[in-house]
Amino acid sequence: MEEIKQQQREQSDLADQIRHPARPVRGSLGKLTLATFLGYAFLTYGVFFYALLVAKVFIPPMVIEASLILLAAIVLATRWRYAPYVGAVVALLTLYDPIFQPHDLYVFTHPGQSNYEFSLILLVVAFGLVSLGTCVYAIIGRYRKQGAEPRLPRFTTVSLSGFAGLVVGMILLSVLVTIVPQTSIESSSPDGQPVVHMTATTFAQNIVLVPKGKSLLVVNDSSVDHILQNGAWDASGSAHPQGESGAPALHNVNITSESKTIGPFPAAGIYHIYCTLHPGMNLTIVVQ
């Protein structure tokens, strides 16, 4: 009799397990994938707010990308069997912009001109690559083990440590480049014409000397638009357009990935021009 009751209890427990299967415990690979996606989303939002609050530029696609990454993290948290596929697609789509967008390419090749921006974008790319890698490894592992969640490979700790060291080293290098004065920017062209270079958000030098009667060559080293006008930004971030006697009149002069000649400057004096798109981007021209 007792044996029959025991068999009935076991059959009842088995039926409950079939109706309500226990959720599998998240493995180390699942935890790493979820953590990297959350960091990826957080950093992407960070870049968006940096552009909005510091550079005064609103970038809607970045909000969409960050929201997609956050949504992918939520899907991964459900442990749905196809979640790694969703994560891999989202990571692949959202990585294209921070890696190949022209402005970001300029930041990567000129780390000393915007250290904070360089560090943020670099961290976004790093977290995105790790997110993509973990999803791809999970997909391959599930395929090989016929649906079972794969474990992290033995070399994961060493690989992640080396990758983190590389990222930190690049950030420290950008800080060093920022601290050490750069002397490679020429102040005149081969024919003696004064030259000033523009980065993505500022003039490489904020004061330039121009001989009386000469013109000034303005070179845009980035692919970011700049619109130049007579006047200046003040310390509070307000623009003050103002024509100056003896200075060439500039009215919304657009410069994109090219150079523009301003002048000539017929009279000695101190003149000011600024970029209407980037607060604080001022240039003082001393003509003598």
Side-chain angles (χ1 to χ4, degrees):
M1 191 69 177
E2 289 296 330
E3 293 180 356
I4 295 176
K5 291 182 179 180
Q6 180 66 24
Q7 290 177 355
Q8 289 176 346
R9 283 195 295 268
E10 292 177 354
Q11 290 175 355
S12 177
D13 293 340
L14 180 61
D16 288 338
Q17 291 177 8
I18 294 174
R19 288 193 299 268
H20 307 288
R23 300 186 69 181
V25 178
R26 189 186 306 280
S28 55
L29 179 62
K31 293 177 181 178
L32 176 62
T33 305
L34 181 59
T36 54
F37 263 90
L38 289 173
Y40 188 23
F42 174 78
L43 287 167
T44 304
Y45 277 119
V47 174
F48 167 75
F49 284 110
Y50 176 88
L52 181 65
L53 300 177
V54 178
K56 308 296 182 181
V57 178
F58 178 64
I59 310 177
M62 195 169 291
V63 180
I64 298 173
E65 291 172 359
S67 301
L68 281 175
I69 298 167
L70 187 59
L71 180 61
I74 295 173
V75 173
L76 287 165
T78 65
R79 286 175 279 185
W80 181 40
R81 60 179 299 181
Y82 295 109
Y85 294 89
V86 175
V89 171
V90 170
L92 195 61
L93 291 176
T94 54
L95 269 172
Y96 179 85
D97 192 47
I99 294 177
F100 297 106
Q101 204 269 345
H103 173 71
D104 293 348
L105 288 175
Y106 177 83
V107 172
F108 284 135
T109 55
H110 299 77
Q113 294 180 358
S114 183
N115 175 254
Y116 294 112
E117 190 175 6
F118 173 82
S119 300
L120 275 175
I121 297 175
L122 180 63
L123 288 172
V124 166
V125 173
F127 270 81
L129 289 175
V130 176
S131 300
L132 177 61
T134 53
C135 284
V136 171
Y137 184 83
I139 293 171
I140 296 174
R142 286 178 183 274
Y143 177 77
R144 289 179 175 176
K145 296 188 177 183
Q146 299 181 347
E149 182 176 344
R151 296 181 178 180
L152 285 172
R154 296 179 180 179
F155 57 82
T156 300
T157 302
V158 176
S159 300
L160 289 179
S161 299
F163 187 64
L166 177 63
V167 172
V168 172
M170 293 177 67
I171 293 175
L172 292 176
L173 181 61
S174 70
V175 174
L176 181 63
V177 172
T178 304
I179 295 174
V180 177
Q182 301 180 45
T183 60
S184 60
I185 299 175
E186 298 180 359
S187 60
S188 62
S189 62
D191 61 358
Q193 183 181 22
V195 177
V196 64
H197 293 255
M198 294 188 297
T199 70
T201 57
T202 187
F203 290 100
Q205 57 193 85
N206 55 14
I207 299 177
V208 62
L209 300 178
V210 177
K212 180 179 176 181
K214 290 282 188 177
S215 298
L216 174 66
L217 181 65
V218 180
V219 180
N220 188 1
D221 291 332
S222 73
S223 59
V224 178
D225 285 350
H226 293 290
I227 298 179
L228 303 184
Q229 187 160 311
N230 299 100
W233 294 95
D234 62 18
S236 64
S238 299
H240 297 278
Q242 181 180 359
E244 297 172 307
S245 177
L250 300 179
H251 298 290
N252 297 327
V253 177
N254 195 325
I255 305 178
T256 305
S257 299
E258 58 187 14
S259 60
K260 189 83 68 174
T261 298
I262 299 175
F265 291 83
I270 299 177
Y271 309 103
H272 306 85
I273 62 175
Y274 72 104
C275 175
T276 62
L277 300 179
H278 300 101
M281 185 170 175
N282 295 323
L283 176 66
T284 300
I285 303 169
V286 180
V287 179
Q288 55 185 16

